[in-house]
Amino acid sequence: DAGVIQSPRHEVTEMGQEVTLRCKPISGHDYLFWYRQTMMRGLELLIYFNNNVPIDDSGMPEDRFSAKMPNASFSTLKIQPSEPRDSAVYFCASSLGGINTEAFFGQGTRLTVV
Amino acid sequence: QKEVEQNSGPLSVPEGAIASLNCTYSDRVSQSFFWYRQYSGKSPELIMSIYSNGDKEDGRFTAQLNKASQYVSLLIRDSQPSDSATYLCAVRGRAGKSTFGDGTTLTVKP
């Protein structure tokens, strides 16, 4: 398996624009996580899905953020409208079901909002 | 209080020394615990997992878990410059939620 695949790797956009980040989890994994990493706040859990269903979105910072998982092999994280403070590295991770399983991370998307 | 807290860094040790990294968590029903290593500009990668109280050794790495104290640690023996990275503690709990600490940056000086 190619691992968790995220696209794009880098995104530069202007404030106010819509941004869509994409993730393909490892085949067969039941859980999908979206994280945001900044120097100030570390690695924050934004939302996670189990079997395509959102379980906990309490980490989503504002209504400007939304995430979907229409099927087991694809998820999106959308920011509309984007703001400079959204600049961060966004990671997608997936894992098998079961508590004693680790999360595997994608390469991340570095988002810069100017 | 953050769900997962790690000792503030940065941590600097000489080559060959033991590096000690600590982590506490707030959810008493958490069941599995992980240490990830993250090199600058890269994504986190798993180095150790532990599920039961006590010690677990893997090469130069030892993870220690004390559920009563809600405490997890990672010891790196014979530290090497290649161990210089940020180490992230992760806790997996109810409904599969996976939460990370802010990380501790380790520098091993030759």
Side-chain angles (χ1 to χ4, degrees):
Chain A
D1 200 310
V4 177
I5 300 173
Q6 291 186 246
S7 63
R9 291 291 307 277
H10 302 273
E11 177 81 33
V12 180
T13 191
E14 292 185 346
M15 182 174 62
Q17 295 298 305
E18 177 179 296
V19 175
T20 299
L21 311 181
R22 296 173 176 80
C23 175
K24 176 178 168 56
I26 294 172
S27 178
H29 280 193
D30 301 303
Y31 285 84
L32 184 139
F33 305 86
W34 281 102
Y35 293 92
R36 176 174 69 176
Q37 189 172 40
T38 61
M39 290 290 292
M40 293 296 294
R41 301 176 68 90
L43 192 62
E44 303 173 275
L45 176 63
L46 301 178
I47 185 171
Y48 76 102
F49 297 82
N50 181 21
N51 293 322
N52 313 337
V53 176
I55 303 300
D56 186 342
D57 65 354
S58 59
M60 296 286 261
E62 303 170 32
D63 291 345
R64 298 184 296 107
F65 286 69
S66 63
K68 294 182 179 180
M69 192 165 185
N71 57 62
S73 59
F74 184 66
S75 178
T76 60
L77 178 67
K78 185 176 294 185
I79 308 173
Q80 166 62 20
S82 57
E83 297 182 3
R85 60 191 167 126
D86 302 330
S87 297
V89 179
Y90 290 80
F91 287 106
C92 175
S94 71
S95 77
L96 291 167
I99 291 296
N100 294 345
T101 56
E102 76 267 27
F104 293 83
F105 282 77
Q107 293 302 301
T109 295
R110 181 173 295 278
L111 173 65
T112 303
V113 183
V114 298
Chain B
Q1 181 187 8
K2 296 195 73 170
E3 293 183 50
V4 181
E5 299 208 42
Q6 297 186 234
N7 52 325
S8 58
L11 176 66
S12 180
V13 300
E15 184 175 355
I18 295 175
S20 177
L21 305 164
N22 304 314
C23 172
T24 57
Y25 58 96
S26 60
D27 189 347
R28 187 169 289 278
V29 301
S30 297
Q31 298 184 344
S32 50
F33 309 87
F34 307 90
W35 284 99
Y36 287 76
R37 177 176 61 202
Q38 186 178 25
Y39 292 114
S40 180
K42 302 294 185 182
S43 54
E45 56 179 352
L46 180 76
I47 52 172
M48 288 285 289
S49 59
I50 186 166
Y51 315 120
S52 305
N53 280 329
D55 295 358
K56 179 181 178 182
E57 187 173 318
D58 184 0
R60 297 186 294 111
F61 298 94
T62 299
Q64 300 173 316
L65 173 61
N66 183 327
K67 290 186 178 182
S69 301
Q70 295 174 240
Y71 174 86
V72 192
S73 68
L74 179 70
L75 298 177
I76 306 174
R77 292 182 300 282
D78 188 23
S79 296
Q80 301 297 309
S82 59
D83 295 327
S84 298
T86 296
Y87 289 80
L88 298 160
C89 173
V91 174
R92 191 145 195 194
R94 296 184 240 224
K97 185 177 182 180
S98 182
T99 306
F100 284 75
D102 288 346
T104 301
T105 298
L106 170 67
T107 300
V108 180
K109 296 186 174 180

